[in-house]
Amino acid sequence: EGVKLGFYISFSGNITFKNAESEEPVKLVPLDKLLIETDSPYLTPEPFRGQRNNSINVKLVAEKISEIKKMSVEEIAKITYDNANRIFKIENKTS
């Protein structure tokens, strides 16, 4: 399993598809290894499936993950933001 090797796991718009079997994989990924992405211009989330994807649709992926993980969208957004910052070694320079 990739998580045991230290990999991060990212989910995109395909987890929102009606026929997706995404709940179990999302449940299995620990929060500290979770990422979200748009995979633009492909894999557009429901309800826009079939249209060109746009990065603004990443919110729909976060919403689906929050539903599966039983957490707020804001919590998922913060967790995935922090994970991305850790991976890319981005320092928060808000002070």
Side-chain angles (χ1 to χ4, degrees):
E1 179 176 294
V3 172
K4 289 179 184 174
L5 295 172
F7 294 123
Y8 288 77
I9 307 297
S10 184
F11 294 96
S12 61
N14 59 330
I15 69 166
T16 68
F17 297 171
K18 289 177 178 71
N19 62 348
E21 296 181 14
S22 57
E23 288 201 19
E24 199 57 34
V26 171
K27 287 178 184 177
L28 290 173
V29 174
L31 294 174
D32 67 331
K33 296 298 182 186
L34 180 65
L35 295 170
I36 56 177
E37 62 180 294
T38 61
D39 195 30
S40 290
Y42 308 106
L43 297 177
T44 307
E46 293 289 349
F48 305 109
R49 188 174 181 183
Q51 299 175 28
R52 183 178 174 86
N53 201 3
N54 185 303
S55 58
I56 199 165
N57 291 331
V58 76
K59 181 180 181 197
L60 298 169
V61 177
E63 288 172 354
K64 183 64 176 181
I65 291 172
S66 71
E67 175 187 314
I68 294 168
K69 293 272 196 189
K70 297 183 179 9
M71 300 174 71
S72 72
V73 175
E74 293 78 16
E75 289 173 301
I76 295 299
K78 173 149 182 27
I79 289 165
T80 56
Y81 175 82
D82 290 345
N83 289 347
N85 283 335
R86 189 169 47 257
I87 289 170
F88 297 111
K89 297 179 179 17
I90 299 170
E91 293 182 32
N92 186 357
K93 298 181 180 182
T94 57
S95 53

